[in-house]
Amino acid sequence: MLLRFLVVLSAATLCMAAHAQDGDHGPLQPVDLFAMEAAADVQISPDGQRIAYVRRTNDIMTDRARSSIWIVDYDGRNHMPVASSASADFTSPRWAPDSGRLAYVASTGGIQELRLHWVSSSRDAAVSRLPGAPAGLQWSPDGNRLAFASFSPGSGPSPASLPSRPEGAQWAEPARVEERMVFRADGRGLVPHGVQQIFVTAAEGGTPVQVTDDTEGVAADFAWTPDGSALIVSADRRPGRNASPADTELHRIDLASGTITQLTDRRGPDSSPAVSPDGRRIAYLGYDQRYLGFQTQRLYVMDIDGSNSRVVTADFDRSLANPVWAQNGRGVYVSFVDQGEVKIALITLNGDVQVLGEGLGGSSFGVPYAGGTFSVSPRTGRFAGAVSSPLRPAEVAAGDRRSGLRRITSLNEELLSRRHVSDAEEIWWASPHDGRQIQGWVLHPPGFDPGQTYPLFLEIHGGPFAAYGPTFTAELQLMAAAGYVVIYTNPRGSTSYGEEFANLIDRSYPGNDYDDLMGGVDALIARGYIDEDRLFVSGGSGGGVLTAWIVGNTDRFAAASTVKPVINWGSFVLHADLTNVFYRFWFDAPPWEDPEAYWRRSPLSLVGNVTTPTMVMVGGDDLRTPVSESEQYYTALRIRDVPTRLVVIPGAPHGITASRPSRLLMVVAENLRWFAEHDPANRTDED
């Protein structure tokens, strides 16, 4: 049986590849992932002449993502490396105010080093050994110092005293005592005791000086004042902050005395401070906390002493990010996501919004989440960022208010010019629930012929307060290359469509987002080229929740793969790493006070309805949607005799595909194998 399956699958793959040939444009291959590159952390120099960026590659021998730093002229010429090594990673390129020096961080074997590169001479030197992994690296306005945040270890509660051990006795290791609500973090494991502090080091080198030193600590979200005398920092410094959701305020840190003065005071986060060029005002982001599942992050401006705060974008219903003052002080550059696409805009202090560029994208090769950042040259108004399209991973782009963004690198042209990559077709449909317009994108397989029929693969994003967009996704391109029509969507609850649309799932998720997804499937079936007997579905995290919810509500899918799902909300909120957020923002009460609210939204409550063959996949070190959630569902399906399989990716956190390229290929391969095993097209009379 297994041998026949492998023969059928191999023959189908060869047939598809032959049919897909268009000249030398063959289908994308899994091994191609190791040849792909992406741009990230794009930084334009203050004089607007050069752009530094992090170039990310995938090392096939070590199965690791590697980071190097490159520089390219604003017009795309003189593209050259600054720091690159097979045994080290280089990150955080930051231009000095004189545009002649570039600071960056070198990481080798757990050792962090701050280095400087002189552009004119290509000279490179170490500035200082860092106390830990730095965050938020920034130059002082005069170019003489660099500030960053770094973790400072502290002590936790001690175990109870035991009798003295005899000399040479080998006892068990001491008990670990915990008194914090949040003591684990996905991707990190146990959170060490201590807080983050601010350090400043001289640009000519030397030991970093710790500026802050208390038990509350600060964040890496800060900005220099123009005179270099202080930092404006966003931080949650409440003594009981560990047991409640983050509620950051803006603070002023005087560098000479170390005095910390709180500038804002409201219930709700205040973040991303930016000081105006004249030093008189602070722009920042935030909102008044209403404990909704999603709230729009707006732009505020206040005086430098914290007085006269006012909201600038009260009427603009999109969350903003990355505020940067225009040099004339009359506006603020920001980015925002609109209908899945990331845009750069200039917002005047009256709230007028002028879009300057669009198409920003992140450096991930996985599923197509909307993301991306930008930087601005204060002297020229030029800006730069990474742009991504369905056809290409993130590339460096640059522009100004007149030209918009234009791509200036071609990191993947040699590979992808020889591969068929599907462009994403944007589609909209009316939700069967209430007629709301829902957006999605479709990838077609190589050699697509609308006169033929194809299997359909529905991919569902996580979050659930997040958004997919028209960006590159190796994961879904590989599904299309395997012969599937792929649809990925932004159902209700997705961000980038306004606060009201996102909060349609507040305290009611999963729910009518199910109808939105089924509407997308029906919209494609209506085109006539989808085989209704060959429907497949998968999603990760929040998408895993919806996948399990779907198979509990319908048997129309031939097979499903639920990846890192929440199956039982009651167990999840008490076991996940962010309990302080989940039970407060997604429910009205803890599970023992309203168990029915948790149970009626749990996919486990519907497991008695499931007949669809459903695979369960999870990272072995997942602390966000803990492994026990996946194991519960797998066991329940086994008890019910529903075809199932448990796939655990060893060592992987919640972001299964983030740091090891082969894990992305594992996810795709396991899904393709499971779907092929349960594809009606592969059945024979003996099955």
Side-chain angles (χ1 to χ4, degrees), residues 357-368:
E358 54 191 29
L360 292 179
S363 59
S364 169
F365 298 107
V367 285

Side-chain angles (χ1 to χ4, degrees), residues 155-220:
S155 59
S158 301
S161 299
L162 299 179
S164 298
R165 287 182 292 176
E167 185 176 351
Q170 297 181 358
W171 289 16
E173 64 180 84
R176 180 175 59 84
V177 180
E178 190 56 72
E179 296 175 347
R180 300 167 296 177
M181 177 179 286
V182 177
F183 59 92
R184 299 176 301 156
D186 185 70
R188 294 175 60 194
L190 291 173
V191 176
H193 287 274
V195 293
Q196 195 161 241
Q197 307 285 7
I198 295 288
F199 294 79
V200 172
T201 188
E204 65 266 21
T207 302
V209 176
Q210 185 172 325
V211 174
T212 57
D213 185 16
D214 60 24
T215 57
E216 276 69 48
V218 293

Side-chain angles (χ1 to χ4, degrees), residues 489-507:
T489 78
N490 282 338
R492 68 190 62 211
S494 300
T495 56
S496 78
Y497 304 88
E499 191 172 284
E500 188 264 347
F501 184 84
N503 282 310
L504 290 172
I505 65 167
D506 182 44
R507 272 73 169 178

Side-chain angles (χ1 to χ4, degrees), residues 103-336:
Y104 64 92
V105 176
S107 304
T108 308
I111 297 174
Q112 314 287 331
E113 191 175 58
L114 180 61
R115 300 187 66 86
L116 283 189
H117 176 81
W118 283 261
V119 177
S120 61
S121 65
S122 295
R123 187 166 62 91
D124 203 276
V127 174
S128 62
R129 182 73 61 88
L130 302 178
L137 181 66
Q138 290 189 44
W139 285 87
S140 63
D142 61 8
N144 292 328
R145 293 167 293 168
L146 290 132
F148 58 90
S150 186
F151 182 77
S152 181
S155 59
S158 301
S161 299
L162 299 179
S164 298
R165 287 182 292 176
E167 185 176 351
Q170 297 181 358
W171 289 16
E173 64 180 84
R176 180 175 59 84
V177 180
E178 190 56 72
E179 296 175 347
R180 300 167 296 177
M181 177 179 286
V182 177
F183 59 92
R184 299 176 301 156
D186 185 70
R188 294 175 60 194
L190 291 173
V191 176
H193 287 274
V195 293
Q196 195 161 241
Q197 307 285 7
I198 295 288
F199 294 79
V200 172
T201 188
E204 65 266 21
T207 302
V209 176
Q210 185 172 325
V211 174
T212 57
D213 185 16
D214 60 24
T215 57
E216 276 69 48
V218 293
D221 184 9
F222 64 86
W224 288 86
T225 57
D227 62 5
S229 67
L231 299 174
I232 307 299
V233 181
S234 169
D236 186 351
R237 292 173 53 80
R238 298 169 300 156
R241 61 190 176 278
N242 184 265
S244 58
D247 188 359
T248 54
E249 307 291 352
L250 297 189
H251 304 78
R252 178 188 177 97
I253 301 176
D254 183 83
L255 296 180
S257 66
T259 302
I260 300 178
T261 305
Q262 185 171 323
L263 301 178
T264 61
D265 184 15
R266 67 163 166 182
R267 178 166 293 182
D270 295 314
S271 64
S272 305
V275 184
S276 63
D278 62 9
R280 297 172 55 192
R281 290 170 292 184
I282 301 171
Y284 62 102
L285 304 177
Y287 55 81
D288 294 320
Q289 184 62 265
R290 291 176 285 148
Y291 292 98
L292 298 173
F294 174 80
Q295 290 187 229
T296 298
Q297 187 160 258
R298 305 189 187 278
L299 177 66
Y300 290 77
V301 171
M302 67 180 178
D303 292 345
I304 193 68
D305 62 359
S307 62
N308 299 318
S309 174
R310 66 181 181 89
V311 60
V312 176
T313 57
D315 299 324
F316 188 64
D317 196 13
R318 294 292 185 271
S319 274
L320 306 178
N322 197 29
V324 180
W325 279 93
Q327 186 64 17
N328 60 14
R330 298 175 183 172
V332 180
Y333 295 94
V334 296
S335 63
F336 64 92

Side-chain angles (χ1 to χ4, degrees), residues 342 362 538 635:
V342 185
S538 182
T635 302

Side-chain angles (χ1 to χ4, degrees), residues 54-72:
V54 174
R55 187 166 176 167
R56 292 184 174 166
T57 57
N58 295 320
D59 187 340
I60 196 170
M61 299 305 295
T62 63
D63 189 26
R64 294 283 184 183
R66 311 301 311 192
S67 297
S68 57
I69 293 176
W70 288 61
I71 290 179
V72 61

